[in-house]
Amino acid sequence: MPSVKTLVQSQDLKSLPSDYAHFSNSDKSTVAGPEVSLPVIDFSLLSSTNPDERAKVIQDLRNACGEWGFFMLVNHGIPENLINRLFKTCNDFFDMPEEEKLKFETTNPRFPVMVRSGSTTCDVSNQKVLFWRDYLRFFVHPEFYCPNKPTEFSDLVSEYSQRTRDVNRKLLQGISQSLGLEEDYIEKAMDMKSGTQIFAANYYPPCPQPESAIGIPPHTDHGLLTFLIQNGVGGLEIQHKGKWFYVNALPNSIFINTGDQLEILSNGKYKSVWHRAVVNNKKTRISLVIPNGPSPDTIVSPAEPLLRETPAAYAPMNYMEYVNVQRTTRLNEKPILDRLKLH
């Protein structure tokens, strides 16, 4: 299948190819409402020696994870220059010839490298409509995989993924405390020293009929916390209280959302939120996404200290088994998270 980028460049597209038509003209329930302001978390306050400042940011995390499942992280300490270079190099990767990009695909069943177009990371045979997206996806922890082209790509991904792991560790400490757990509870219970981390680059070219297409359909993320940055072009929508809303980022901020494993671990106190990517007809959007999960062999279940007064709301499950089931679940089937709910 040719990439969406190739499709756009090879033809003077005036209308959307039928394979990519996701929404009908009459489907108004899917239209997002006005832009909403997400909670903002100041990452620097997690290292504050002022007990009042630290208590406030823990409370802010509790509110953000409990009420929204999404927040913007500012003052995270990741250099803006590193992020800009990474976006440029990812753009250079998608500019490479198709045959050159596909050389980096691997069939490693545990840690695959995927270079795809028009599909989600679920089983492609389960899909009826193609999505307006090309993407590159690979594991960077506990084992590191990365294409060796373009120049610097591997070094930039390595540095960015290490820095996001450091931020993720500190955030999980704050979230542990926000749940009334010991600061290192999640880190130890999820064996985060061997935690999984994926790097995904999504490329959304301008679309001739963006109101009928979709970049990524509604989904939740399988891990604990997901980090997302974008190249200044918006396209993220989230579901809040049953309605869809468009969200945009503050300059040099990172979108953070809670994933399925954090919902299970918190025994439902923090929800994994449905979100999607929409497209536009003017500019190419690139998003860089880092899902952070437990170690591959961790059995995830509700935290024991949270079960003293409330029964477990989710059945335990091996993390990589969970990921594999989610990948092969049809888009119209009951999500794996719902199948684990006990009441």
Side-chain angles (χ1 to χ4, degrees), residues 67-103:
E67 295 176 16
W68 285 89
F70 256 92
F71 56 88
M72 284 184 284
L73 193 70
V74 298
N75 296 326
H76 46 72
I78 300 177
E80 191 171 3
N81 179 53
L82 170 63
I83 291 172
N84 291 338
R85 288 164 63 203
L86 188 54
F87 272 117
K88 181 185 181 305
T89 308
C90 285
N91 189 70
D92 291 345
F93 177 87
F94 288 110
D95 278 344
M96 289 166 55
E98 291 299 296
E99 61 274 13
E100 191 72 18
K101 288 183 284 190
L102 290 174
K103 288 178 183 177

Side-chain angles (χ1 to χ4, degrees), residues 116 119-127 326-329 331:
R116 298 280 172 86
S119 70
T120 64
T121 48
C122 70
D123 185 350
V124 177
S125 63
N126 287 338
Q127 189 175 311
Q326 188 195 53
R327 273 189 200 152
T328 56
T329 298
L331 294 174

Side-chain angles (χ1 to χ4, degrees), residues 38-41 72-74 230 248-255:
L38 290 176
V40 177
I41 300 295
M72 284 184 284
L73 193 70
V74 298
Q230 54 194 20
N248 214 339
L250 294 172
N252 200 30
S253 66
I254 302 175
F255 282 121

